[in-house]
Amino acid sequence: MGTESTSRASRGTVLLVNPNSNTRTTAMMAELAREALAPQRLDVVGLTAADGPAMIIDPESLAASAAHVRTAVLEYLAGPDGGAVAAVIVSAIGDPGREALELELSDRGVAVLGIGQGSIHQASRGGRRFGMATSTPLLADSLAALVGSHGKSEAFSGVRLTASEPLVLAADPEQQYRELAAAVGDSTTLDGADAVIIAGGPLSETARRLAETTSAEIIQPIPSACALLLERLGAVAA
């Protein structure tokens, strides 16, 4: 398990767990979470699942990553700073292991949320119609099932995919941006989505760029999960 942190766990810590083994992705996602949570005096520690896949691209790797998430969190909680942990954010769009971990940690008072959960919560506000844009075609059914698990299937316009495979786009940020922008356009124009989730933790930098450069209502996974967390912790009005 890798650990990435820029501050001591002294004010209340949020663990952001990356089920992928890419530490650069962990650092990027943790920094986005810090921007949202630092004003509420919450520190963020990024954890990388050392045994996880380089990227979750299919249902098998999504299911297997739940165990890696649990191991990373429990190892940290057993360490010297474990008592300061207020919450855990599972930072993969499919929220692997979130429900089981939430149940396991309920008696410790540790909140457990997922970026998929946070995105769906944000995207469906006010009953609006929403879709997803992603680069992982093999996860489309899993993402639709996640929406259903939160009772939002009727508002869901579906998943729109990039033309290229996820590993190709991971190596080319400009192509990733262009193809996700096209998928967002299809989601809004063809499917009638009022908001579009950029469905993937590793896509977070592109999600931010799309939010800044397109007219569509872009739902960014990391900020959405942080907003839901603050609601749960009572730091902002629900």
Side-chain angles (χ1 to χ4, degrees), residues 10-104:
S10 57
R11 302 179 298 175
T13 300
V14 175
L15 301 181
L16 181 140
V17 190
N18 178 16
N20 301 325
S21 59
N22 189 321
T23 57
R24 192 201 72 81
T25 300
T26 305
M28 176 269 291
M29 294 191 296
E31 186 56 35
L32 289 175
R34 268 186 210 102
E35 291 180 14
L37 298 177
Q40 300 296 334
R41 296 189 57 79
L42 289 168
D43 292 326
V44 175
V45 172
L47 303 180
T48 303
D51 296 325
M55 182 181 289
I56 296 173
I57 61 173
D58 54 46
E60 293 76 21
S61 58
L62 178 64
S65 65
H68 304 314
V69 169
R70 179 178 183 272
T71 296
V73 170
L74 295 186
E75 285 184 0
Y76 189 93
L77 291 177
D81 293 327
V85 174
V88 173
I89 295 175
V90 180
S91 201
I93 199 69
D95 296 346
R98 179 192 65 81
E99 290 182 321
L101 192 60
E102 182 177 37
L103 182 62
E104 186 171 359

Coordinates of all heavy atoms in Angstrom, one line a residue, residues 10-104:
S10 N -4.1 15.7 11.8 CA -4.2 16.3 13.1 C -5.6 17.0 13.2 O -6.0 17.2 14.4 CB -3.1 17.3 13.3 OG -3.2 18.3 12.2
R11 N -6.3 17.3 12.2 CA -7.5 18.0 12.2 C -8.7 17.2 12.0 O -9.9 17.6 12.1 CB -7.5 19.2 11.3 CG -6.3 20.1 11.5 CD -6.3 21.3 10.5 NE -6.2 20.7 9.1 CZ -6.3 21.5 8.0 NH1 -6.5 22.8 8.1 NH2 -6.1 21.0 6.8
G12 N -8.5 16.0 11.5 CA -9.6 15.1 11.0 C -9.2 14.7 9.6 O -8.9 15.6 8.8
T13 N -9.1 13.5 9.4 CA -8.5 13.0 8.1 C -9.5 12.3 7.3 O -10.4 11.5 7.7 CB -7.4 12.0 8.4 OG1 -6.4 12.6 9.2 CG2 -6.7 11.4 7.2
V14 N -9.5 12.5 6.0 CA -10.2 11.8 5.0 C -9.3 11.0 4.2 O -8.3 11.5 3.6 CB -11.0 12.8 4.0 CG1 -11.7 12.0 2.9 CG2 -12.0 13.6 4.8
L15 N -9.5 9.7 4.1 CA -8.7 8.8 3.3 C -9.3 8.7 1.9 O -10.5 8.3 1.8 CB -8.7 7.4 3.9 CG -8.1 7.2 5.3 CD1 -8.1 5.8 5.8 CD2 -6.7 7.8 5.4
L16 N -8.6 9.0 0.9 CA -9.0 8.9 -0.5 C -8.3 7.6 -1.0 O -7.0 7.6 -1.1 CB -8.7 10.1 -1.3 CG -9.1 10.0 -2.8 CD1 -9.7 11.3 -3.3 CD2 -8.0 9.6 -3.7
V17 N -9.0 6.6 -1.3 CA -8.4 5.3 -1.7 C -8.5 5.1 -3.2 O -9.6 5.1 -3.7 CB -9.1 4.1 -0.9 CG1 -8.3 2.9 -1.2 CG2 -9.2 4.4 0.5
N18 N -7.4 5.0 -3.8 CA -7.4 4.6 -5.3 C -7.2 3.1 -5.4 O -6.1 2.6 -5.1 CB -6.2 5.4 -5.9 CG -6.0 5.1 -7.4 OD1 -7.0 4.5 -8.0 ND2 -4.9 5.4 -7.9
P19 N -8.2 2.4 -5.9 CA -8.1 1.0 -6.1 C -7.1 0.6 -7.2 O -6.7 -0.5 -7.3 CB -9.5 0.5 -6.5 CG -10.4 1.6 -6.0 CD -9.6 2.9 -6.2
N20 N -6.7 1.6 -8.1 CA -5.7 1.3 -9.1 C -4.3 1.5 -8.4 O -4.1 2.2 -7.4 CB -5.8 2.3 -10.2 CG -7.2 2.2 -10.9 OD1 -7.7 1.2 -11.0 ND2 -7.7 3.4 -11.3
S21 N -3.3 0.9 -9.0 CA -2.0 0.9 -8.5 C -1.1 2.1 -9.0 O 0.1 2.1 -8.7 CB -1.2 -0.4 -8.8 OG -1.2 -0.6 -10.2
N22 N -1.8 3.0 -9.7 CA -1.1 4.2 -10.2 C -1.0 5.3 -9.2 O -1.9 6.0 -8.9 CB -1.8 4.7 -11.5 CG -1.0 5.7 -12.2 OD1 -0.4 6.6 -11.7 ND2 -1.1 5.6 -13.6
T23 N 0.2 5.5 -8.6 CA 0.4 6.5 -7.6 C 0.2 7.9 -8.1 O -0.2 8.8 -7.4 CB 1.8 6.4 -6.9 OG1 2.8 6.5 -7.9 CG2 1.9 5.0 -6.2
R24 N 0.5 8.2 -9.4 CA 0.3 9.5 -9.9 C -1.1 9.9 -10.0 O -1.5 11.0 -9.6 CB 0.9 9.6 -11.4 CG 1.0 11.0 -11.9 CD 1.0 11.1 -13.4 NE -0.2 10.8 -14.0 CZ -1.2 11.6 -14.1 NH1 -1.1 12.9 -13.7 NH2 -2.4 11.2 -14.7
T25 N -2.0 8.9 -10.3 CA -3.4 9.1 -10.3 C -3.9 9.4 -8.9 O -4.7 10.3 -8.6 CB -4.1 7.9 -10.9 OG1 -3.7 7.7 -12.2 CG2 -5.7 8.1 -10.8
T26 N -3.3 8.7 -7.9 CA -3.7 8.9 -6.5 C -3.4 10.3 -6.1 O -4.2 11.0 -5.5 CB -2.9 7.9 -5.6 OG1 -3.2 6.6 -6.0 CG2 -3.4 8.1 -4.1
A27 N -2.2 10.8 -6.4 CA -1.8 12.1 -6.0 C -2.7 13.2 -6.7 O -3.1 14.2 -6.0 CB -0.3 12.4 -6.4
M28 N -3.0 13.0 -7.9 CA -3.9 13.9 -8.6 C -5.3 14.0 -8.0 O -5.8 15.1 -7.7 CB -4.0 13.5 -10.1 CG -5.0 14.3 -10.9 SD -6.7 13.7 -11.0 CE -6.4 12.2 -12.0
M29 N -5.9 12.8 -7.7 CA -7.2 12.8 -7.1 C -7.2 13.3 -5.7 O -8.1 14.0 -5.3 CB -7.8 11.4 -7.1 CG -8.0 10.8 -8.6 SD -8.9 9.3 -8.7 CE -7.8 8.2 -7.9
A30 N -6.2 13.0 -4.9 CA -6.1 13.5 -3.6 C -6.0 15.1 -3.5 O -6.5 15.7 -2.7 CB -4.9 12.9 -2.8
E31 N -5.2 15.6 -4.5 CA -5.1 17.1 -4.5 C -6.4 17.7 -4.9 O -6.8 18.8 -4.3 CB -4.1 17.5 -5.6 CG -3.8 19.0 -5.6 CD -3.3 19.5 -4.3 OE1 -2.6 18.8 -3.5 OE2 -3.7 20.7 -3.9
L32 N -7.2 17.1 -5.7 CA -8.6 17.7 -6.0 C -9.4 17.6 -4.8 O -10.2 18.5 -4.5 CB -9.2 16.9 -7.2 CG -8.6 17.0 -8.6 CD1 -9.3 16.1 -9.5 CD2 -8.8 18.5 -9.0
A33 N -9.3 16.5 -4.0 CA -10.1 16.4 -2.8 C -9.7 17.5 -1.8 O -10.5 18.0 -1.1 CB -10.0 15.0 -2.2
R34 N -8.4 17.7 -1.7 CA -7.9 18.7 -0.8 C -8.4 20.1 -1.0 O -8.8 20.9 -0.1 CB -6.3 18.8 -0.8 CG -5.6 17.9 0.1 CD -4.1 18.1 0.2 NE -3.6 16.8 0.5 CZ -3.1 16.0 -0.3 NH1 -2.9 16.3 -1.6 NH2 -2.6 14.8 0.1
E35 N -8.5 20.4 -2.3 CA -9.1 21.7 -2.7 C -10.5 21.9 -2.1 O -10.9 23.0 -1.7 CB -9.1 21.9 -4.2 CG -7.8 22.0 -4.8 CD -7.8 22.2 -6.3 OE1 -9.0 22.4 -6.9 OE2 -6.8 22.0 -7.0
A36 N -11.3 20.8 -2.1 CA -12.6 20.9 -1.6 C -12.8 20.8 -0.1 O -13.6 21.4 0.5 CB -13.5 19.8 -2.3
L37 N -11.9 20.1 0.5 CA -12.0 19.7 1.9 C -11.1 20.6 2.9 O -11.5 20.7 4.1 CB -11.7 18.2 2.2 CG -12.7 17.3 1.4 CD1 -12.2 15.8 1.6 CD2 -14.1 17.5 1.8
A38 N -10.1 21.1 2.4 CA -9.2 21.9 3.3 C -9.9 23.1 3.9 O -9.6 23.4 5.1 CB -7.9 22.4 2.5
P39 N -10.8 23.8 3.2 CA -11.5 24.9 3.9 C -12.3 24.5 5.1 O -12.7 25.3 5.9 CB -12.3 25.5 2.7 CG -11.6 25.1 1.5 CD -11.1 23.8 1.8
Q40 N -12.7 23.2 5.1 CA -13.5 22.7 6.2 C -12.6 22.0 7.3 O -13.0 21.2 8.1 CB -14.5 21.7 5.7 CG -15.5 22.3 4.7 CD -16.4 23.4 5.4 OE1 -16.6 23.4 6.6 NE2 -16.9 24.3 4.6
R41 N -11.3 22.3 7.2 CA -10.3 21.8 8.1 C -10.3 20.3 8.2 O -10.2 19.6 9.2 CB -10.5 22.3 9.6 CG -10.3 23.8 9.6 CD -10.3 24.3 11.1 NE -9.3 23.7 11.9 CZ -8.0 24.0 11.9 NH1 -7.6 25.0 11.1 NH2 -7.2 23.4 12.7
L42 N -10.3 19.7 7.0 CA -10.1 18.2 6.8 C -8.9 18.0 6.0 O -8.7 18.6 4.9 CB -11.3 17.6 6.1 CG -12.7 17.6 6.9 CD1 -13.8 17.3 6.0 CD2 -12.6 16.6 8.0
D43 N -8.0 17.2 6.5 CA -6.8 16.7 5.8 C -7.2 15.6 4.9 O -8.1 14.8 5.2 CB -5.7 16.3 6.7 CG -5.1 17.5 7.5 OD1 -5.1 18.6 7.0 OD2 -4.8 17.3 8.7
V44 N -6.5 15.4 3.8 CA -6.7 14.3 2.9 C -5.4 13.5 2.8 O -4.3 14.0 2.5 CB -7.1 14.8 1.5 CG1 -7.2 13.6 0.5 CG2 -8.4 15.6 1.6
V45 N -5.5 12.2 2.9 CA -4.4 11.3 2.7 C -4.8 10.4 1.6 O -5.9 9.7 1.6 CB -4.1 10.4 4.0 CG1 -3.1 9.3 3.7 CG2 -3.6 11.3 5.1
G46 N -4.0 10.3 0.6 CA -4.2 9.4 -0.6 C -3.6 8.1 -0.4 O -2.4 8.0 0.0
L47 N -4.4 7.0 -0.5 CA -3.9 5.7 -0.4 C -4.0 5.0 -1.7 O -5.0 5.0 -2.4 CB -4.7 4.9 0.6 CG -4.8 5.4 2.0 CD1 -5.7 4.4 2.9 CD2 -3.5 5.6 2.7
T48 N -2.9 4.3 -2.1 CA -2.9 3.5 -3.4 C -2.9 2.0 -3.0 O -2.1 1.6 -2.2 CB -1.6 3.9 -4.1 OG1 -1.5 5.3 -4.4 CG2 -1.6 3.1 -5.5
A49 N -3.8 1.3 -3.7 CA -3.9 -0.1 -3.5 C -2.8 -0.8 -4.2 O -2.8 -0.9 -5.5 CB -5.2 -0.6 -4.0
A50 N -1.7 -1.2 -3.5 CA -0.5 -1.7 -4.2 C -0.8 -2.9 -5.0 O -0.1 -3.1 -6.0 CB 0.5 -2.1 -3.1
D51 N -1.8 -3.8 -4.7 CA -2.1 -5.0 -5.4 C -3.2 -4.8 -6.5 O -3.6 -5.7 -7.1 CB -2.5 -6.1 -4.5 CG -1.3 -6.5 -3.6 OD1 -0.2 -6.4 -4.0 OD2 -1.6 -6.9 -2.4
G52 N -3.6 -3.5 -6.6 CA -4.7 -3.3 -7.6 C -4.2 -3.3 -9.0 O -3.0 -3.2 -9.3
P53 N -5.2 -3.3 -10.0 CA -4.8 -3.2 -11.4 C -4.3 -1.8 -11.7 O -4.6 -0.8 -11.0 CB -6.1 -3.5 -12.1 CG -7.2 -3.0 -11.1 CD -6.6 -3.3 -9.8
A54 N -3.6 -1.6 -12.8 CA -3.1 -0.3 -13.3 C -4.3 0.6 -13.6 O -4.3 1.8 -13.4 CB -2.2 -0.5 -14.5
M55 N -5.4 0.0 -14.1 CA -6.6 0.7 -14.4 C -7.8 -0.3 -14.3 O -7.7 -1.4 -14.9 CB -6.6 1.4 -15.7 CG -7.8 2.2 -16.1 SD -7.7 3.0 -17.7 CE -6.5 4.3 -17.4
I56 N -8.9 0.1 -13.7 CA -10.1 -0.8 -13.7 C -10.8 -0.6 -15.0 O -11.4 0.5 -15.3 CB -11.0 -0.4 -12.5 CG1 -10.2 -0.7 -11.2 CG2 -12.3 -1.2 -12.6 CD1 -11.0 -0.3 -10.0
I57 N -10.9 -1.6 -15.8 CA -11.5 -1.5 -17.2 C -12.6 -2.5 -17.5 O -13.2 -2.5 -18.5 CB -10.4 -1.5 -18.3 CG1 -9.7 -2.9 -18.3 CG2 -9.4 -0.4 -18.1 CD1 -8.7 -3.1 -19.4
D58 N -12.8 -3.4 -16.5 CA -13.8 -4.4 -16.7 C -14.4 -4.9 -15.4 O -13.9 -4.5 -14.3 CB -13.2 -5.7 -17.5 CG -12.0 -6.2 -16.7 OD1 -12.1 -6.4 -15.5 OD2 -11.0 -6.5 -17.4
P59 N -15.6 -5.6 -15.5 CA -16.3 -5.9 -14.2 C -15.4 -6.8 -13.3 O -15.6 -6.7 -12.1 CB -17.5 -6.7 -14.7 CG -17.7 -6.2 -16.1 CD -16.4 -5.9 -16.7
E60 N -14.6 -7.6 -13.9 CA -13.7 -8.5 -13.0 C -12.8 -7.7 -12.2 O -12.6 -8.0 -11.0 CB -13.0 -9.5 -13.9 CG -13.9 -10.5 -14.6 CD -14.7 -10.0 -15.8 OE1 -14.2 -8.9 -16.4 OE2 -15.7 -10.6 -16.2
S61 N -12.1 -6.8 -12.8 CA -11.1 -6.0 -12.0 C -11.8 -5.1 -11.1 O -11.3 -4.8 -10.0 CB -10.2 -5.2 -13.0 OG -11.0 -4.3 -13.8
L62 N -13.0 -4.6 -11.4 CA -13.8 -3.8 -10.5 C -14.2 -4.6 -9.2 O -14.0 -4.1 -8.1 CB -15.1 -3.3 -11.2 CG -16.1 -2.5 -10.4 CD1 -15.4 -1.2 -9.9 CD2 -17.4 -2.2 -11.1
A63 N -14.7 -5.8 -9.4 CA -15.1 -6.7 -8.3 C -13.9 -7.0 -7.4 O -13.9 -7.0 -6.2 CB -15.7 -7.9 -8.8
A64 N -12.7 -7.4 -8.1 CA -11.5 -7.7 -7.3 C -11.0 -6.6 -6.5 O -10.4 -6.8 -5.5 CB -10.5 -8.3 -8.3
S65 N -11.2 -5.4 -7.0 CA -10.5 -4.2 -6.3 C -11.2 -3.9 -5.0 O -10.6 -3.2 -4.1 CB -10.6 -3.0 -7.2 OG -12.0 -2.6 -7.4
A66 N -12.4 -4.5 -4.7 CA -13.0 -4.2 -3.4 C -12.1 -4.7 -2.3 O -12.0 -4.0 -1.2 CB -14.4 -4.9 -3.4
A67 N -11.5 -5.8 -2.4 CA -10.6 -6.4 -1.4 C -9.4 -5.5 -1.2 O -8.9 -5.3 -0.1 CB -10.1 -7.8 -1.7
H68 N -8.9 -4.9 -2.3 CA -7.7 -4.0 -2.2 C -8.0 -2.7 -1.4 O -7.2 -2.2 -0.7 CB -7.2 -3.7 -3.6 CG -6.8 -4.9 -4.4 ND1 -6.1 -5.9 -3.9 CD2 -7.1 -5.2 -5.7 CE1 -5.9 -6.9 -4.8 NE2 -6.5 -6.5 -5.9
V69 N -9.2 -2.2 -1.7 CA -9.7 -1.0 -1.0 C -9.8 -1.3 0.5 O -9.3 -0.5 1.4 CB -11.1 -0.6 -1.5 CG1 -11.7 0.5 -0.6 CG2 -11.0 0.0 -2.9
R70 N -10.4 -2.4 0.9 CA -10.6 -2.8 2.3 C -9.2 -2.9 3.0 O -9.0 -2.4 4.1 CB -11.3 -4.1 2.4 CG -11.5 -4.5 3.9 CD -12.4 -5.8 3.9 NE -12.6 -6.2 5.3 CZ -11.8 -7.0 6.0 NH1 -10.6 -7.4 5.4 NH2 -12.1 -7.3 7.3
T71 N -8.3 -3.6 2.3 CA -6.9 -3.8 2.9 C -6.2 -2.5 3.2 O -5.7 -2.2 4.2 CB -6.1 -4.7 2.0 OG1 -6.7 -6.0 1.9 CG2 -4.7 -4.8 2.5
A72 N -6.3 -1.6 2.2 CA -5.6 -0.3 2.3 C -6.2 0.5 3.5 O -5.4 1.1 4.3 CB -5.7 0.5 1.0
V73 N -7.5 0.5 3.6 CA -8.1 1.3 4.6 C -7.9 0.7 6.0 O -7.5 1.4 7.0 CB -9.7 1.4 4.4 CG1 -10.4 2.0 5.6 CG2 -9.9 2.2 3.1
L74 N -8.0 -0.6 6.2 CA -7.8 -1.2 7.5 C -6.4 -1.1 7.9 O -6.1 -0.9 9.1 CB -8.3 -2.7 7.5 CG -9.8 -2.9 7.2 CD1 -10.1 -4.4 7.4 CD2 -10.6 -2.0 8.2
E75 N -5.4 -1.2 7.0 CA -4.0 -1.0 7.4 C -3.8 0.4 7.9 O -3.0 0.6 8.9 CB -3.1 -1.3 6.2 CG -3.0 -2.8 5.9 CD -2.0 -3.1 4.8 OE1 -1.4 -2.1 4.2 OE2 -1.8 -4.3 4.4
Y76 N -4.4 1.4 7.3 CA -4.2 2.7 7.8 C -4.8 2.9 9.1 O -4.2 3.6 10.0 CB -4.7 3.8 6.8 CG -4.3 5.2 7.1 CD1 -3.2 5.8 6.6 CD2 -5.1 5.9 8.0 CE1 -2.8 7.1 6.9 CE2 -4.8 7.2 8.4 CZ -3.6 7.8 7.8 OH -3.2 9.0 8.2
L77 N -6.0 2.4 9.3 CA -6.8 2.6 10.5 C -6.0 1.9 11.7 O -6.1 2.4 12.8 CB -8.2 2.0 10.4 CG -9.1 2.8 9.5 CD1 -10.5 2.1 9.4 CD2 -9.3 4.2 10.0
A78 N -5.3 0.9 11.4 CA -4.5 0.2 12.4 C -3.2 0.9 12.8 O -2.5 0.5 13.8 CB -4.2 -1.2 12.0
G79 N -2.8 1.9 12.0 CA -1.6 2.6 12.2 C -1.7 3.7 13.2 O -2.8 4.0 13.8
P80 N -0.6 4.5 13.4 CA -0.6 5.6 14.4 C -1.6 6.7 14.2 O -2.0 7.4 15.2 CB 0.8 6.0 14.4 CG 1.3 5.7 13.1 CD 0.6 4.4 12.7
D81 N -2.0 7.0 13.0 CA -2.9 8.1 12.7 C -4.3 7.6 12.4 O -5.2 8.4 12.0 CB -2.4 8.9 11.4 CG -1.0 9.6 11.7 OD1 -0.8 10.0 12.8 OD2 -0.2 9.7 10.8
G82 N -4.6 6.3 12.6 CA -5.9 5.8 12.3 C -7.0 6.4 13.1 O -8.1 6.5 12.6
G83 N -6.7 6.8 14.3 CA -7.8 7.4 15.1 C -8.3 8.7 14.7 O -9.4 9.2 15.1
A84 N -7.6 9.4 13.8 CA -8.0 10.7 13.3 C -8.9 10.6 12.1 O -9.4 11.6 11.6 CB -6.8 11.5 13.0
V85 N -9.1 9.4 11.6 CA -9.9 9.3 10.3 C -11.4 9.5 10.5 O -12.0 8.9 11.4 CB -9.7 7.9 9.7 CG1 -10.6 7.7 8.5 CG2 -8.2 7.7 9.3
A86 N -11.9 10.5 9.8 CA -13.3 10.8 9.9 C -14.1 10.2 8.8 O -15.3 9.9 8.9 CB -13.5 12.3 9.8
A87 N -13.4 9.9 7.6 CA -14.2 9.4 6.5 C -13.2 8.8 5.5 O -12.0 9.0 5.5 CB -14.9 10.6 5.8
V88 N -13.8 8.0 4.6 CA -13.1 7.3 3.5 C -13.9 7.6 2.2 O -15.1 7.5 2.2 CB -13.1 5.8 3.7 CG1 -12.5 5.1 2.5 CG2 -12.3 5.4 5.0
I89 N -13.1 8.0 1.2 CA -13.7 8.1 -0.2 C -13.1 7.0 -1.0 O -11.9 7.0 -1.2 CB -13.4 9.5 -0.8 CG1 -14.1 10.6 0.0 CG2 -13.8 9.6 -2.2 CD1 -13.8 12.0 -0.4
V90 N -14.0 6.2 -1.6 CA -13.5 5.2 -2.5 C -13.5 5.8 -3.9 O -14.5 6.2 -4.4 CB -14.5 3.9 -2.5 CG1 -14.0 2.9 -3.5 CG2 -14.6 3.3 -1.1
S91 N -12.3 6.0 -4.4 CA -12.1 6.8 -5.6 C -12.0 6.0 -6.9 O -11.0 6.1 -7.7 CB -10.8 7.7 -5.4 OG -10.9 8.8 -6.3
A92 N -13.0 5.2 -7.1 CA -13.2 4.5 -8.4 C -14.7 4.7 -8.7 O -15.5 4.5 -7.8 CB -12.8 3.1 -8.4
I93 N -15.0 4.9 -10.0 CA -16.4 5.3 -10.3 C -17.4 4.2 -10.0 O -18.6 4.5 -9.7 CB -16.5 5.7 -11.8 CG1 -17.8 6.5 -12.0 CG2 -16.4 4.5 -12.7 CD1 -17.8 7.9 -11.4
G94 N -17.0 2.9 -9.9 CA -17.9 1.9 -9.6 C -18.0 1.6 -8.1 O -18.8 0.7 -7.7
D95 N -17.3 2.4 -7.3 CA -17.4 2.3 -5.8 C -17.2 0.9 -5.3 O -17.9 0.4 -4.4 CB -18.8 2.8 -5.3 CG -19.1 4.3 -5.6 OD1 -18.1 5.0 -5.9 OD2 -20.2 4.7 -5.5
P96 N -16.1 0.3 -5.7 CA -15.9 -1.1 -5.2 C -15.7 -1.2 -3.7 O -14.8 -0.6 -3.2 CB -14.6 -1.5 -6.0 CG -13.9 -0.2 -6.3 CD -15.0 0.8 -6.5
G97 N -16.5 -2.1 -3.1 CA -16.4 -2.4 -1.7 C -17.0 -1.3 -0.8 O -16.9 -1.4 0.4
R98 N -17.6 -0.3 -1.4 CA -18.1 0.8 -0.5 C -19.1 0.4 0.5 O -19.0 0.7 1.7 CB -18.7 1.9 -1.4 CG -19.2 3.1 -0.5 CD -20.1 4.1 -1.4 NE -21.3 3.4 -1.8 CZ -22.4 3.3 -1.1 NH1 -22.4 3.7 0.2 NH2 -23.5 2.7 -1.6
E99 N -20.1 -0.3 0.1 CA -21.2 -0.7 1.0 C -20.7 -1.6 2.1 O -21.1 -1.4 3.3 CB -22.3 -1.4 0.2 CG -23.1 -0.5 -0.7 CD -24.2 -1.2 -1.5 OE1 -24.0 -2.3 -1.9 OE2 -25.3 -0.5 -1.6
A100 N -19.9 -2.6 1.8 CA -19.4 -3.5 2.8 C -18.5 -2.8 3.8 O -18.5 -3.0 5.0 CB -18.6 -4.7 2.1
L101 N -17.7 -1.9 3.3 CA -16.7 -1.1 4.1 C -17.5 -0.2 5.0 O -17.2 0.0 6.2 CB -15.7 -0.4 3.3 CG -14.5 0.2 4.0 CD1 -13.7 -0.9 4.7 CD2 -13.6 1.0 3.1
E102 N -18.6 0.4 4.5 CA -19.4 1.3 5.3 C -20.0 0.6 6.5 O -20.1 1.1 7.6 CB -20.5 1.9 4.4 CG -21.4 2.9 5.1 CD -22.4 3.5 4.2 OE1 -22.9 2.8 3.3 OE2 -22.8 4.7 4.3
L103 N -20.5 -0.6 6.2 CA -21.1 -1.5 7.3 C -20.0 -1.8 8.3 O -20.2 -1.8 9.5 CB -21.7 -2.7 6.7 CG -22.4 -3.7 7.6 CD1 -23.6 -3.0 8.3 CD2 -22.9 -4.9 6.9
E104 N -18.8 -2.2 7.8 CA -17.7 -2.6 8.7 C -17.3 -1.5 9.6 O -16.9 -1.8 10.8 CB -16.6 -3.2 7.9 CG -15.5 -3.8 8.7 CD -14.5 -4.5 7.8 OE1 -14.6 -4.6 6.6 OE2 -13.5 -5.1 8.4

